[in-house]
Amino acid sequence: MEEKGISQAVISRLPRYYRYLGELKDEGVERISSQELSELMNVTASQIRQDFNNFGGFGQQGYGYNVNYLYTEIGKILGLDKSHHLVIIGAGNLGQALANYVNFERRGFIVKGVFDINPDLFGKDLRGIKVQPLDNVVEFVKQNNIDIAVLTIPKNGAVDITQQLVKYGVKAILNFAHVDLEVPEGVIVENVHLSDSLMKLSYNINHYKKK
Ligand code: NAI
């Protein structure tokens, strides 16, 4: 399947398709037309067809798409047919909430280790994973085939730990720290700033008020 040159906009829509298709599959729906999917997801049918055409169209025949096939293929494109090993750096409110969230595992994201610098947290049990001192992280990453690190720490320290993690094989960072990270080519950073989403909401509230 040719996937070269697919825009990030298309890629960023795939998880939403995957989520809706997963729900349809769980409800026992076997086929769905682009029109029905479009009504369900509130996007145009032509947008759906255009997005899917980037991947060869997923063989829509007669009445619509095969839900299970589409779900499986989009999962493969997203790399969800393989599991990923994660470490969480920072076992505060956010780190603990993420470590306790079971649904990541359903998608193949396995939390293998949680690390912090606060000795009061060492040994704290988060769904069977004990918080470890940050000093252990490099050895842990080397031995456990860790490909993703989630940074739930303040910005001080985030740059240093990122350098260490990528040096020892981490390929992607989910960054909650409020700092831009520089990483070598081939390493991916996904920044999450919940306050940016709130600011977007704020803009839109103001915008619609004026209409
Ligand atoms: P928190 O204070 O509850 O937890 C932070 C934890 O990180 C503490 O346990 C602390 O000991 C640990 N820590 C500090 N420096 C560290 C280092 N270098 N290595 C390992 N552990 C270290 O804070 P919370 O609420 O969990 O938030 C975590 C960070 O994420 C905060 O800095 C906050 O600003 C940021 N944040 C970002 C959001 C976003 O949308 N990007 C949303 C909420 C928080």
Side-chain angles (χ1 to χ4, degrees):
M1 192 180 293
E2 182 57 68
E3 284 180 35
K4 276 211 178 109
I6 311 268
S7 77
Q8 283 300 313
V10 174
I11 304 293
S12 68
R13 286 194 287 272
L14 292 182
R16 187 157 180 261
Y17 289 124
Y18 187 75
R19 200 156 30 84
Y20 272 86
L21 288 161
E23 283 170 14
L24 289 167
K25 189 171 82 76
D26 290 347
E27 287 162 17
V29 177
E30 288 177 8
R31 298 197 78 81
I32 190 158
S33 66
S34 50
Q35 189 56 43
E36 285 168 325
L37 194 56
S38 112
E39 281 161 22
L40 189 68
M41 295 184 61
N42 208 12
V43 289
T44 64
S46 89
Q47 165 96 81
I48 292 175
R49 283 192 296 267
Q50 270 177 37
D51 284 350
F52 291 178
N53 279 342
N54 284 291
F55 307 97
F58 298 119
Q60 185 185 25
Q61 292 161 357
Y63 176 70
Y65 300 99
N66 177 316
V67 170
N68 194 30
Y69 174 75
L70 194 50
Y71 175 80
T72 308
E73 289 304 305
I74 293 180
K76 281 189 208 161
I77 292 166
L78 290 169
L80 303 178
D81 52 334
K82 305 170 206 92
S83 62
H84 297 283
H85 290 175
L86 265 77
V87 288
I88 296 177
I89 312 295
N93 293 311
L94 202 49
Q96 290 191 30
L98 295 174
N100 281 318
Y101 184 58
V102 284
N103 261 3
F104 291 137
E105 271 148 41
R106 269 190 67 200
R107 302 275 189 249
F109 298 99
I110 319 287
V111 179
K112 299 294 272 187
V114 183
F115 298 84
D116 205 287
I117 50 170
N118 178 356
D120 292 345
L121 291 169
F122 300 165
K124 186 177 170 72
D125 194 293
L126 303 170
R127 284 196 311 122
I129 298 165
K130 296 219 182 328
V131 177
Q132 299 187 50
L134 185 70
D135 291 347
N136 293 358
V137 76
V138 164
E139 205 48 43
F140 190 90
V141 163
K142 280 193 215 160
Q143 286 178 9
N144 288 276
N145 196 21
I146 302 298
D147 44 9
I148 303 179
V150 182
L151 299 189
T152 46
I153 53 175
K155 63 180 173 185
N156 301 337
V159 171
D160 279 358
I161 194 64
T162 298
Q163 281 174 359
Q164 294 283 318
L165 294 168
V166 299
K167 187 167 160 194
Y168 292 103
V170 168
K171 293 277 171 293
I173 310 273
L174 183 60
N175 177 34
F176 286 86
H178 295 300
V179 60
D180 291 328
L181 300 171
E182 280 187 24
V183 291
E185 212 177 308
V187 176
I188 300 138
V189 177
E190 181 74 31
N191 295 303
V192 184
H193 296 300
L194 300 180
S195 50
D196 288 8
S197 304
L198 288 172
M199 285 188 258
K200 253 198 271 172
L201 286 181
S202 161
Y203 169 84
N204 284 320
I205 290 169
N206 288 334
H207 184 73
Y208 286 115
K209 252 197 222 152
K210 283 182 204 136
K211 272 188 170 178

